[in-house]
Amino acid sequence: MTDLERAAREIREVGFYDRLYQDLREAMGEKNPDVGTIRTFLQERPEFLEEYKQLNVEYNISNIHLRDIPLEEVADPECRRDAEAVNRNLALLRAIEKYTLEFEKSSFLVLLFSIEFFVLFSVQYFIVLLSLKEYQWYIYGLFLMSILVAWWYARREKEKYRREKERFERLYAETLERLQRLEERACIDRETLIIRESDEHV
């Protein structure tokens, strides 16, 4: 559901992807590849497409370049049921897409480290500035406990990322199958559903 034409055009023309474009040009050995050449290269070297997707997810830009199927245009009841299922799946895929980001690159870890840094600063404040040296071991104990809680919570979140990524991949495959069936039965024209450009880059 990631449109390769759009991905290739954005990598070439949108400044947001400059570093990826430089890497891609170096790997291709071309100074100024056109959109068609980049598209072909993305098919041959999917790791560059994955990098494009990861970059998008990091900045909350969807890789699902497909709009919902307009149900009022689907007359056949069986097609309509499939179209409704596709629309539900697309909504859920957009909602859980953030879990396709590698956990180590997620904003969750940045937030967790920021909280722990604040706790450490507070510990020093209580001990040094408030002259609570007689309680320092209790305070350090609380700090150690906060580290253990943060570690446990990070492990739990990492497991959630893994589960939701698997769920995303299953749902993605199922949605592609449904779209394929809808196209084969001439219920929809997928080309009309493709979102050609992102509002985030305007």
Side-chain angles (χ1 to χ4, degrees):
M1 284 176 273
T2 300
D3 182 49
L4 285 177
E5 185 76 22
R6 171 178 160 178
R9 192 175 62 257
E10 286 182 346
I11 289 169
R12 186 177 190 276
E13 298 172 0
V14 178
F16 179 70
Y17 303 100
D18 272 351
R19 187 184 56 78
L20 176 58
Y21 183 48
Q22 297 304 324
D23 293 346
L24 193 133
R25 285 188 337 181
E26 191 177 308
M28 292 173 80
E30 288 193 37
K31 281 192 170 191
N32 194 22
D34 62 15
V35 172
T37 309
I38 293 172
R39 179 189 168 139
T40 304
F41 188 76
L42 290 174
Q43 287 174 311
E44 294 168 358
R45 298 277 302 273
E47 66 269 19
F48 284 96
L49 183 60
E50 280 308 307
E51 192 174 336
Y52 165 85
K53 289 180 177 182
Q54 285 283 306
L55 190 59
N56 282 343
V57 174
E58 281 178 42
Y59 288 92
N60 296 318
I61 300 170
S62 182
N63 289 309
I64 299 167
H65 301 160
L66 210 61
R67 65 179 48 88
D68 287 354
I69 299 169
L71 297 175
E72 63 276 3
E73 296 176 14
V74 182
D76 180 70
E78 191 179 338
C79 288
R80 191 178 179 92
R81 275 193 301 277
D82 269 348
E84 286 170 349
V86 165
N87 286 352
R88 279 193 307 273
N89 286 0
L90 287 174
L92 186 52
L93 284 168
R94 289 184 194 108
I96 64 174
E97 187 175 16
K98 64 184 174 188
Y99 295 107
T100 61
L101 184 65
E102 293 172 31
F103 179 71
E104 290 73 18
K105 293 182 179 177
S106 69
S107 59
F108 171 80
L109 284 180
V110 174
L111 178 65
L112 195 61
F113 285 129
S114 299
I115 291 170
E116 280 305 307
F117 180 77
F118 175 74
V119 171
L120 177 61
F121 177 78
S122 299
V123 163
Q124 291 301 320
Y125 174 79
F126 282 118
I127 292 171
V128 177
L129 295 177
L130 296 179
S131 300
L132 296 175
K133 289 191 182 194
E134 62 270 15
Y135 299 107
Q136 70 181 351
W137 293 114
Y138 296 111
I139 295 169
Y140 281 132
L142 283 172
F143 175 60
L144 183 59
M145 198 182 321
S146 78
I147 290 174
L148 290 172
V149 168
W151 174 80
W152 169 80
Y153 193 63
R155 280 184 52 129
R156 197 180 82 164
E157 282 298 303
K158 186 174 184 178
E159 178 60 23
K160 182 179 179 183
Y161 266 72
R162 187 194 61 75
R163 265 194 335 269
E164 290 296 326
K165 184 174 183 177
E166 287 175 2
R167 182 179 173 208
F168 179 91
E169 287 166 358
R170 280 195 309 271
L171 198 59
Y172 192 94
E174 177 196 317
T175 307
L176 282 177
E177 285 175 23
R178 285 183 185 273
L179 282 166
Q180 187 70 36
R181 286 201 303 269
L182 284 166
E183 263 193 312
E184 286 167 0
R185 297 196 322 253
C187 301
I188 62 163
D189 177 11
R190 196 188 308 198
E191 281 297 307
T192 63
L193 300 175
I194 295 172
I195 302 168
R196 298 290 175 194
E197 45 183 57
S198 170
D199 292 338
E200 280 85 352
H201 301 317
V202 177

